[in-house]
Every structure is written in structure tokens, then in C-alpha cells.
Amino acid sequence: MLTDPRIHSFLALCQHGTTTAAAAATNRALSTISTHVSAIEARVGATLFRRAHGAFILTELGEEVRKHAETIVAAEAAILAAALTRQSEATGAKSGTRS
């Protein structure tokens, strides 16, 4: 993972709606999800979720941050895919085969 793990915790909470479900989905402790989201909120200086009966609902700013976070994660996937392709090409060239 190239991106800050806090981004992945934030996106998991966006997707799953509770810290318990986000923690289970990311194999992280519930407290880690809370800490990561609180750190992002502190950094941007705004609340990104409304908390209601144990559920987390994105604020308007939270929705905007989610879109940017998804772009970051997609860029990370593209970087890793490009690196893998280059490695495969280099391995194929060394062994005398072409993909």
C-alpha cells in the first residue's frame, strides 16, 4: 500500500457506515478506524461524518473528500499495475520471451 492507511480507513467507513463493519472489512481494530478518521478530520479542520445511532453519515464536505480519496486509491492501483507490467516485460525480455 502506497497511500496513507488513514485514507483506506476513511473509505471503509464511507462504504460500511459503522466503525465495527469498517474494522472488520479492513482487518483493523475498531479504535484504529476511529483514530484514522479523527486524524483526517483534524487535518482538514472539519467534521466529515455525522454520527447518528452508531452510524456514520457523510457530510457534504465528507462526500467531497470521499471522491478525492477514491481518486488517490485509483491512482495507487494504476501505479502498481504499471509497475507490474514493466516488471513482467523486463522478465520476459531477460528470458527471451515476449508477452
Side-chain angles (χ1 to χ4, degrees), residues 58-78:
L58 283 169
T59 63
E60 188 175 328
L61 177 59
E63 184 60 36
E64 188 173 336
V65 170
R66 181 194 58 79
K67 290 174 187 174
H68 291 296
E70 288 174 343
T71 299
I72 291 167
V73 171
E76 174 186 39

Side-chain angles (χ1 to χ4, degrees), residues 4-58:
D4 189 322
R6 293 176 291 189
I7 291 174
H8 293 277
S9 293
F10 170 77
L11 288 173
L13 187 55
C14 292
Q15 181 179 2
H16 298 285
T18 68
T19 51
T20 301
T26 59
N27 201 29
R28 292 188 170 111
L30 188 138
S31 61
T32 300
I33 300 296
S34 295
T35 299
H36 285 175
V37 171
S38 293
I40 293 172
E41 288 180 327
R43 181 69 178 108
V44 301
T47 300
L48 302 178
F49 292 94
R50 286 182 291 116
R51 283 107 170 136
H53 306 289
F56 286 72
I57 301 160
L58 283 169

